[in-house]
Amino acid sequence: MRSLIFKEIDDLVIDSLGIVSFISFFVGGVVSIQTALNLTNPLIPKYLIGFATRQSVILEFAPTFISIIMAGKMGSFITSSIGTMRVTEQIDALEVMGVNSLNYLVFPKLVALMLYPFVIGLSMFLGVFGGWLAAVYGGFATADEFINGIQTEFIPFHVTYAFIKTIVFAFLLATIPSFHGYYMKGGALEVGKASTISFVWTSVVIILCNYILTQLLLTN
């Protein structure tokens, strides 16, 4: 299993770092600029730009928005790879050889996606960093004002909450696409349909779980 797990880490986690970094950096910048442009009242302190960027990125953007994007990238990859094996009868061949095909195909993906919080942690950092660069070099706030906003009323549990969500989303990203790929029927055309359906259902379940976890963890 070791070589399979490392292969899945490379395919699912390492290959996702580029797109996650790019999106996080620029969306953090956009959040910062939009916040600054909406603070038109001169009585409102500039440090709120940093505060709003931190809250937006840590609470919602990094764990949820990135997970929905990953449902398209990771989920489609998982469904299509397992679905192609089903269509070409490779899964049947594994069964004939006495290999537990479900364990062989799905378990390494589950283990690999336990590293998914690392991806989201990177997304959080780059989102806030992108917001800092946009605010400072866009002339919306000074570096000190933005950093003061990041530190203002910081609640450590918000980071814990974000990572709890991330672990749940990682489990969903591994299991729902695997289910749609493993149990699909038909030919090459159905592989494409299964990938689309798995993306839709993964996104829907992520959004529902996001609501439930927020209700459970953040409301008093």
Side-chain angles (χ1 to χ4, degrees):
M1 281 290 178
R2 188 184 303 161
S3 60
L4 284 172
I5 290 168
F6 281 121
K7 181 180 180 299
E8 296 297 348
I9 289 171
D10 186 48
D11 289 341
L12 299 176
V13 178
I14 305 299
D15 283 358
S16 301
L17 292 178
I19 185 70
V20 168
S21 301
F22 179 81
I23 292 171
S24 301
F25 182 80
F26 284 102
V27 171
V30 168
V31 169
S32 177
I33 292 168
Q34 288 183 347
T35 305
L37 293 175
N38 281 292
L39 297 179
T40 53
N41 192 324
L43 297 176
I44 298 175
K46 295 289 186 183
Y47 73 80
L48 286 178
I49 299 170
F51 176 79
T53 303
R54 182 200 76 203
Q55 292 296 91
S56 301
V57 169
I58 290 178
L59 287 175
E60 206 54 41
F61 166 72
T64 309
F65 186 58
I66 291 294
S67 293
I68 291 172
I69 293 170
M70 288 300 103
K73 185 189 180 298
M74 287 182 189
S76 297
F77 174 78
I78 291 170
T79 305
S80 58
S81 61
I82 297 177
T84 303
M85 290 184 72
R86 172 63 74 190
V87 168
T88 55
E89 299 181 351
Q90 293 178 54
I91 293 177
D92 297 329
L94 287 171
E95 297 283 358
V96 169
M97 289 189 291
V99 176
N100 184 335
S101 59
L102 199 58
N103 184 57
Y104 182 85
L105 294 171
V106 179
F107 180 71
K109 293 174 174 57
L110 271 172
V111 175
L113 280 172
M114 289 301 103
L115 290 176
Y116 186 59
F118 167 73
V119 177
I120 298 303
L122 180 67
S123 173
M124 289 177 186
F125 170 76
L126 287 173
V128 174
F129 180 64
W132 177 81
L133 278 181
V136 172
Y137 289 99
F140 299 108
T142 65
D144 288 340
E145 284 172 335
F146 193 90
I147 291 169
N148 183 32
I150 293 173
Q151 296 172 336
T152 299
E153 294 182 26
F154 177 66
I155 301 171
F157 180 72
H158 283 174
V159 177
T160 307
Y161 154 79
F163 280 117
I164 290 170
K165 285 205 301 187
T166 300
I167 291 166
V168 173
F169 295 163
F171 178 78
L172 296 175
L173 285 168
T175 52
I176 296 174
S178 296
F179 171 83
H180 284 282
Y182 190 84
Y183 290 105
M184 64 149 291
K185 293 180 174 64
L189 182 64
E190 280 71 25
V191 173
K193 289 180 180 177
S195 296
T196 305
I197 292 168
S198 80
F199 166 66
V200 172
W201 276 109
T202 307
S203 302
V204 167
V205 176
I206 282 173
I207 290 167
L208 284 174
C209 287
N210 182 41
Y211 174 79
I212 293 165
L213 287 168
T214 303
Q215 189 76 23
L216 289 172
L217 296 171
L218 290 188
T219 56
N220 294 323

